Amino acid sequence: MYITESNRLDIKNGCILRLTKAPGRCADDLHKGIQSSDGGVRCDSLKELASVSRDVTFAQEFINLDGHNLLVKIVEDSRESNQIMTHTLTSFTELMDHGIVSWENLSAVFIKKIAGFVNSSSTDVSMQQVSLDILENMVLSSRQLFLQVKQEVTMERLVAHLQVANQQIQTKAMALLMALLQAAEDADRQEMFTFLNKKNVRQYIYKDIILSSSPVQDEMAHHLYVLQSVTLNHLETRMRTPLDCYCQEQRDALHGLRQAAFETDSENSLSHERRRSLCAKEFKKLGFSNNSNPGQDLVRTPPGLLALDTMFYFATRYPDAYSRFVLENSSREDKHECPFARSSIQLTLILCEILRIGDPPSETGSSFHPIFFSQDRLLEELFCVCIQLLNKTWKEMRATQEDFDKVMQVVKEQITRTLASKPTSLELFKNKVNALNYSEILKLRQTERLHQEETLAPPVLELKERLKPELLELIRQQRLNRLCQGTMFRKLSSRRRQDKLWYCRLSPNHKMLHYGDVEEDAENPAIETLQDKIPVADIKGLLTGKDCPHMKENKGKQTKEVLDLAFSITYDVEECSLNFIAPSRTDFCLWTDGLSVLLGRDMSSESMRSELEILLSMEIKLRLLDLENVPIPDSAPAVPKPPSNYHFCYDFSQTEQ
């Protein structure tokens, strides 16, 4: 980092400074080197340019010399070797990343060349990787560039890139694909999804990425999460649309449910009133609350028409299971009958909540369901498994109509716990969720309750209070040790997801906070490699959520998920701050607690409270092992009166004499 008037106050005592060329002179030398007639000099100059372009001061000087257009010309001419072209494209990406020059100023020829590198199967892998990166930035920059990239890049090549063994190419191709999908308008997006479905892209992702021998990296996990979210959100329109009683197609679907469950051969011979009475009776058996006008049950949104879609899919896709469900419950007593329609509507709503249908994808989300990529029509297939599970759970609980909400809570827990285990196929999900029966749920709940249970006897509460300081000190030490190990944070920007990483850790003597940029493959960088540091004594405050400076700058653009992970420390004067976005809620709690300890404040995270309760519970149980099955009195036993004399006491002193 070059020292300038704007950043010189950020330099701390003890920082090692290196004397080097001024940014203007360095930019001028590299500008000349790039235009040299010697290929070796050009290659070395571009390699160095790719490295120093990360500094904004140098980037400004180089752009002032019109250096970025020189790089564009090299790409447009395409006369250089693959190595030189790779350095050129990398330098261009780094320069553009500072936002000094707009992406919209690029020529159509340049865009065609970059797209050509991606479309060609003979292009060098490193060139393809950087080219995919450049195209993603273009798509995210403006609608006009999106249209140009969409026109130039063939979707077949993007799909082919997803099938290669190189994880970096897979990730960059997926990033471009997600950028195109998110930037597209509804009609374009639907057209792209139709193409992807036709090419069975989901199966390629499942086979070549999810089931590959290499684990899915964070970057790819985010893109898979976005693809899952964008795809499932196609169902949002149906979810938010109530049933229209005047729509013949929807009325036919409703009557199709009835006709699939009950024999209707003799229906045409009945009078209108008789037929209407029979329909009402059969809709009641199907579990509709409003049996004379069942469409009223589907007016509530969500789940709206989506509930009708899932019921109709189950009835037509698995007619035997559907008939068995309806007829089995028709033969039970009214109060023990599991209402199919009411259960289906509520189950569809539960699945929408679990799969987060209607929620826009988060910038930091990475939790995807492998089962999504293994299965066509995931929601409908999950519904077909879960509605049969619901009937099974209803019988296990011996439920009545009054227990409807309790049964739905158990079913929701069964589905949530099973999906949390990340099943990779529908069959595996089916086996796991059916194995997690009502008795297993009760055992799990009891175990969790025992872990959380606390004895309220006054002596035990007093013992807890005595143990608290010691256990709090243990948690404080753990937090400080965790800060000493350090954490890798990601720099987010509005223009692209794959931003650089930086690492922050506390010095072993707890006096300095060291931080600096690192590469993605750096697992635990040594403290000496982190160039920047802040003395703990200079830290003035800790801010979280919307109070953070980097959240105020993007006010209204950040999701609640990002706000919950944001924290900042202020130092020296109030204007200086170091801004963080934690990788997870756990890391957020660890860092905010650790920084609070350094500032001499009380820890306040939910993680600390949970850990303190667990430690207290364990310690109390260990202390009370000898008192098992012995009732603990609420008050201490009364101390007896002293004896009238102490003649019973033996005097050892006289014996010794």
Side-chain angles (χ1 to χ4, degrees), residues 266-280:
S266 59
E267 190 176 298
N268 293 331
S269 61
L270 300 175
S271 65
H272 176 71
E273 287 300 321
R274 180 75 178 143
R275 187 164 63 248
R276 188 172 178 180
S277 173
L278 179 64
C279 289

Side-chain angles (χ1 to χ4, degrees), residues 119-269:
N119 291 333
S120 173
S121 56
S122 60
T123 306
D124 180 73
V125 171
S126 299
M127 282 177 61
Q128 283 189 335
Q129 190 174 319
V130 187
S131 298
L132 286 164
D133 201 4
I134 291 172
L135 290 174
E136 184 201 354
N137 281 288
M138 289 181 187
V139 169
L140 295 174
S141 295
S142 75
R143 172 73 182 167
Q144 186 60 38
L145 284 174
F146 158 75
L147 293 172
Q148 285 183 266
V149 172
K150 181 176 178 291
Q151 184 179 355
E152 296 296 335
V153 177
T154 60
M155 296 293 284
E156 286 90 346
R157 284 305 302 160
L158 280 183
V159 172
H161 286 317
L162 295 177
Q163 301 172 61
V164 301
N166 187 310
Q167 278 195 332
Q168 289 298 319
I169 291 291
Q170 284 182 334
T171 303
K172 299 296 183 186
M174 183 63 82
L176 176 55
L177 187 58
M178 291 306 98
L180 287 166
L181 282 172
Q182 288 183 283
E185 293 182 350
D186 291 341
D188 288 333
R189 189 182 296 121
Q190 190 58 53
E191 180 188 337
M192 292 167 69
F193 269 118
T194 303
F195 175 84
L196 295 175
N197 290 333
K198 185 179 176 182
K199 292 293 181 181
N200 293 320
V201 170
R202 179 186 53 76
Q203 293 177 15
Y204 293 137
I205 292 171
Y206 184 67
K207 179 170 62 76
D208 297 318
I209 297 176
I210 295 175
L211 296 184
S212 71
S213 55
S214 305
V216 177
Q217 299 298 317
D218 290 347
E219 187 76 25
M220 179 59 83
H222 171 73
H223 297 314
L224 294 177
Y225 153 79
V226 171
L227 178 57
Q228 172 187 288
S229 181
V230 173
T231 306
L232 288 173
N233 280 350
H234 275 167
L235 301 169
E236 183 182 4
T237 304
R238 299 288 287 178
M239 183 184 77
R240 301 202 185 280
T241 305
L243 184 134
D244 181 3
C245 294
Y246 298 102
C247 176
Q248 188 61 43
E249 183 185 353
Q250 295 171 19
R251 291 171 63 186
D252 289 345
L254 263 179
H255 283 281
L257 289 174
R258 180 182 63 82
Q259 291 164 357
F262 305 104
E263 293 293 333
T264 57
D265 294 339
S266 59
E267 190 176 298
N268 293 331
S269 61

Side-chain angles (χ1 to χ4, degrees), residues 29-148:
D29 290 348
L30 290 177
H31 191 267
K32 291 175 182 175
I34 292 168
Q35 301 175 78
S36 170
S37 58
D38 187 330
V41 173
R42 290 201 304 278
C43 184
D44 291 340
S45 298
L46 285 163
K47 184 177 180 181
E48 185 180 349
L49 178 64
S51 174
V52 296
S53 293
R54 296 171 186 167
D55 184 88
V56 66
T57 307
F58 170 84
Q60 184 67 68
E61 294 289 345
F62 191 77
I63 288 170
N64 289 342
L65 295 173
D66 208 28
H68 62 293
N69 284 327
L70 182 58
L71 298 179
V72 169
K73 190 173 185 306
I74 293 173
V75 174
E76 289 177 349
D77 293 343
S78 295
R79 296 172 187 164
E80 300 288 1
S81 65
N82 287 342
Q83 187 180 16
I84 288 180
M85 289 300 292
T86 301
H87 293 321
T88 303
L89 293 171
T90 305
S91 302
F92 178 79
T93 306
E94 294 293 347
L95 288 170
M96 296 299 289
D97 196 33
H98 297 293
I100 300 170
V101 179
S102 172
W103 288 91
E104 296 180 47
N105 296 333
L106 298 173
S107 66
V109 176
F110 178 82
I111 296 172
K112 280 180 180 290
K113 285 290 182 183
I114 299 294
F117 296 148
V118 171
N119 291 333
S120 173
S121 56
S122 60
T123 306
D124 180 73
V125 171
S126 299
M127 282 177 61
Q128 283 189 335
Q129 190 174 319
V130 187
S131 298
L132 286 164
D133 201 4
I134 291 172
L135 290 174
E136 184 201 354
N137 281 288
M138 289 181 187
V139 169
L140 295 174
S141 295
S142 75
R143 172 73 182 167
Q144 186 60 38
L145 284 174
F146 158 75
L147 293 172
Q148 285 183 266

